[in-house]
Amino acid sequence: EAGVVQSPRYKIIEKKQPVAFWCNPISGHNTLYWYLQNLGQGPELLIRYENEEAVDDSQLPKDRFSAERLKGVDSTLKIQPAELGDSAVYLCASRNPNTGELFFGEGSRLTVL
Amino acid sequence: AQSVTQPDIHITVSEGASLELRCNYSYGATPYLFWYVQSPGQGLQLLLKYFSGDTLVQGIKGFEAEFKRSQSSFNLRKPSVHWSDAAEYFCAVEETNTGNQFYFGTGTSLTVIP
């Protein structure tokens, strides 16, 4: 079984530039999460999808962050424009509906210069 | 609001020694509880989980955890630590009333010395 796939693994951009991250969850996992992880911290939820519907985006900074999950499978997280404080790891996870377990991708590490 | 507390930011143990990582949560009902491990540059991997039933749960890599309702705790243990256990450990809580919402602690970094 393929795991959660994220790309790119690493991204370096200058502030005010846009950036996008892509996530392909495990097949059959209807619930998808985007988390932000700062250095030395635990994951913090940005947005949660149930199929194609964003059911919890209360922590997503909507002035610069956006996300979509077309067709309820792959998801994209976008930041425009990026700020220095956005430097972090962006984790995608999907939830096994039978076991309740979250499966994480390896993350996308963003550095904003 | 939910909260997950891992009071130990960093722990150092000798290889072969026992390990206990603490986790406390704040939640009205009995939540689902998880421990995840993260190696540098990697995503999080599930070690074990508690949903109901036996309060002592076994996980992968020789880890176990015990749910204590009276203390709102879910501490992770391992009888004998291996050098490969050095990593970051996260306790997580899933809300059971709203469903599918996970909250993570700030993590405990484990260093294993020879």
Side-chain angles (χ1 to χ4, degrees):
Chain A
E1 178 181 76
V4 176
V5 179
Q6 291 187 247
S7 68
R9 286 294 313 278
Y10 304 93
K11 189 73 174 179
I12 301 174
I13 61 173
E14 294 187 344
K15 63 181 180 181
K16 300 185 181 180
Q17 293 300 306
V19 64
F21 305 112
W22 175 80
C23 173
N24 179 234
I26 294 173
S27 177
H29 289 193
N30 300 326
T31 309
L32 182 147
Y33 306 76
W34 282 102
Y35 284 94
L36 167 70
Q37 187 177 27
N38 286 304
L39 187 64
Q41 298 295 314
E44 300 173 26
L45 181 69
L46 288 172
I47 191 168
R48 173 167 61 98
Y49 281 95
E50 295 289 345
N51 298 300
E52 68 275 9
E53 181 183 0
V55 296
D56 187 351
D57 63 355
S58 58
Q59 302 304 311
L60 190 72
K62 298 181 183 64
D63 57 336
R64 297 184 301 106
F65 286 66
S66 64
E68 61 182 12
R69 191 183 183 195
L70 301 176
K71 301 181 180 180
V73 181
D74 295 359
S75 179
T76 302
L77 177 70
K78 298 178 182 178
I79 309 174
Q80 182 172 11
E83 297 179 352
L84 294 176
D86 296 331
S87 296
V89 176
Y90 293 84
L91 294 168
C92 180
S94 65
R95 184 179 183 273
N96 185 314
N98 299 315
T99 66
E101 178 183 350
L102 285 190
F103 288 83
F104 284 84
E106 292 184 309
S108 294
R109 180 178 295 276
L110 174 65
T111 300
V112 182
L113 303 177
Chain B
Q2 311 309 318
S3 69
V4 182
T5 303
Q6 293 182 245
D8 303 305
I9 297 174
H10 185 249
I11 284 182
T12 299
V13 298
S14 299
E15 190 168 16
S18 63
L19 171 70
E20 183 170 28
L21 303 182
R22 297 182 289 167
C23 173
N24 292 92
Y25 64 90
S26 170
Y27 186 57
T30 299
Y32 295 161
L33 299 161
F34 305 80
W35 274 99
Y36 284 84
V37 61
Q38 185 179 34
S39 298
Q42 301 296 313
L44 282 72
Q45 179 187 19
L46 181 70
L47 284 176
L48 47 77
K49 62 188 179 185
Y50 173 79
F51 286 174
S52 65
D54 191 347
T55 56
L56 183 64
V57 293
Q58 303 297 320
I60 63 172
K61 304 183 182 183
F63 285 91
E64 66 177 28
E66 185 172 12
F67 169 56
K68 293 185 177 180
R69 185 190 308 273
S70 61
Q71 299 177 18
S72 296
S73 70
F74 189 57
N75 294 349
L76 182 71
R77 300 194 294 250
K78 186 168 184 178
S80 177
V81 171
H82 188 262
W83 63 266
S84 61
D85 293 325
E88 191 85 16
Y89 291 80
F90 294 95
C91 180
V93 165
E94 181 183 4
E95 284 188 329
T96 55
N97 56 351
T98 59
N100 302 350
Q101 186 66 290
F102 284 77
Y103 298 90
F104 287 83
T106 53
T108 298
S109 177
L110 174 65
T111 297
V112 180
I113 55 177

